[in-house]
């Protein structure tokens, strides 16, 4: 990692919400912190947000400030991690869109990963940009007027975009110099969007196969709960047929034979 704190004194807002891709949050933030930056996790609500590993729940991360309390003028840059859920939640927030517009209008460096360019799209800031993103949102980016490149990292003036977690090393390598003020390369005025991919990079259905199944203890508890409900219902029906009220102790002591079918 960086031994020289080239980002010392820099204040970077990390804008994220529940469902962010955890690696896209933790790894860049660790690199920024290691380089001396003061990072603030800004989200829609107080408390903690849930990270994700694709479709599997990840860790909880504590929020430092809500978007309602955040001022773009307090920060020297903005980073928005991706994920299947977080950018979609963020783009629906008017305060988030306003915050991103203010950062853009001030020319502050804005870094985005994978699905995060969707926030630019909803903020009306994607037109005439040159961006990369998770290939699954390529059409959204292009339809918003941007040029989409199927590259690991793309720099366009004060906007840096990364394609996805698979390109993390290249993105982090570009991220710290970007926030340190490294000049942008010459623009690419004649760039054309790359075509959509012929097949997805990952098959979510395959990853879903490996999601944890309920434990035996959980399944047994649910089964016993079901047996208890059935037994209680049979007691109620028996007393209803006889016209007698049901006493609570009778439900708790339902006859063993009531649950016998469930053990077969």
């Amino acid at each position: 990692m960086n031994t020289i704190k080239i980002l010392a004194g820099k204040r970077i807002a990390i804008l994220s919400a529940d469902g962010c891709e955890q690696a896209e949050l933790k790894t860049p933030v660790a690199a920024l912190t290691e380089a001396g930056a003061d990072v603030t996790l800004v989200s829609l609500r107080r408390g903690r947000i849930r990270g994700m590993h694709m479709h599997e729940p990840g860790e909880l991360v504590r929020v430092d400030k809500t978007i309602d309390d955040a001022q773009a003028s307090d920060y020297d840059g903005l980073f928005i991690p991706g994920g299947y859920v977080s950018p979609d939640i963020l783009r629906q927030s008017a305060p988030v869109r306003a915050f991103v517009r203010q950062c853009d209008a001030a020319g502050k460096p804005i870094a985005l990963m994978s699905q995060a360019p969707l926030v630019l799209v909803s903020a009306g800031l994607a037109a005439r940009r040159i961006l990369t993103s998770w290939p699954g949102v390529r059409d959204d980016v292009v339809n918003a007027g941007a040029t989409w490149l199927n590259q690991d990292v793309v720099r366009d003036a004060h906007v840096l975009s990364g394609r996805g977690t698979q390109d993390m090393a290249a993105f982090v390598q570009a991220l710290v110099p970007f926030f340190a003020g490294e000049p942008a390369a010459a623009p690419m005025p004649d760039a054309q969007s790359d075509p959509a991919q012929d097949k997805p990079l990952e098959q979510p259905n395959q990853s879903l196969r490996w999601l944890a199944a309920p434990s035996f203890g959980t399944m047994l508890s649910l089964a016993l709960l079901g047996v208890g409900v059935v037994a209680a219902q049979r007691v109620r029906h028996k007393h209803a047929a006889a016209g007698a009220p049901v006493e609570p102790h009778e439900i708790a002591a339902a006859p063993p034979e009531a649950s016998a079918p469930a053990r077969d």
Side-chain angles (χ1 to χ4, degrees):
M1 301 297 288
N2 299 281
T3 56
I4 301 176
K5 306 295 185 180
I6 63 174
L7 295 183
K10 296 285 187 180
R11 298 163 298 176
I12 309 297
I14 313 297
L15 185 56
S16 193
D18 286 308
C20 66
E21 186 65 30
Q22 187 162 308
E24 295 181 17
L25 174 64
K26 294 189 68 174
T27 303
V29 166
L32 294 173
T33 303
E34 180 69 17
D38 179 12
V39 301
T40 300
L41 178 57
V42 180
S43 194
L44 303 180
R45 57 175 176 79
R46 300 182 187 278
R48 296 182 293 177
I49 60 173
R50 173 71 70 181
M52 298 291 289
H53 299 294
M54 283 194 67
H55 300 274
E56 296 187 50
E59 299 175 7
L60 290 168
V61 184
R62 184 167 297 281
V63 172
D64 297 313
K65 185 171 288 191
T66 67
I67 189 64
D68 293 328
D69 297 329
Q71 300 293 327
S73 58
D74 291 339
Y75 302 99
D76 301 300
L78 171 64
F79 169 52
I80 310 178
Y84 287 109
V85 179
S86 175
D88 187 67
I89 294 175
L90 292 174
R91 70 190 301 197
Q92 299 176 58
S93 167
V96 164
R97 297 192 298 269
F99 185 88
V100 175
R101 290 189 196 107
Q102 290 164 11
C103 290
D104 179 70
K108 298 178 186 290
I110 300 173
L112 314 150
M113 275 207 81
S114 60
Q115 295 92 342
L118 292 175
V119 181
L120 286 192
V121 169
S122 293
L125 300 174
R128 296 178 297 279
R129 301 274 190 200
I130 301 176
L131 301 167
T132 190
S133 71
W134 182 252
V137 300
R138 178 258 185 204
D139 293 348
D140 303 77
V141 173
V142 172
N143 290 338
T147 298
W148 184 82
L149 301 181
N150 194 9
Q151 299 178 10
D152 51 4
V153 181
V154 171
R155 170 85 182 267
D156 180 15
H158 64 279
V159 177
L160 180 76
S161 51
R163 184 169 49 188
T165 307
Q166 74 278 9
D167 305 302
M168 182 65 73
F171 182 77
V172 169
Q173 184 177 8
L175 185 67
V176 172
F178 171 69
F179 280 123
E182 181 180 76
M188 299 176 284
D190 299 325
Q192 299 294 318
S193 290
D194 289 332
Q197 295 194 160
D198 294 329
K199 60 181 181 179
L201 291 178
E202 296 170 335
Q203 297 287 345
N205 289 338
Q206 291 179 5
S207 66
L208 286 173
R209 287 191 210 164
W210 303 103
L211 292 179
S215 67
F216 175 77
T218 300
M219 296 175 67
L220 179 60
S221 297
L222 291 173
L224 292 174
L225 177 61
V227 168
V229 171
V230 170
Q233 289 178 338
R234 290 186 178 181
V235 170
R236 289 192 181 96
H237 292 161
K238 178 180 178 181
H239 281 261
V246 182
E247 297 296 334
H249 70 275
E250 293 181 288
I251 296 178
E257 62 270 14
S259 59
R263 294 196 296 268
D264 291 341

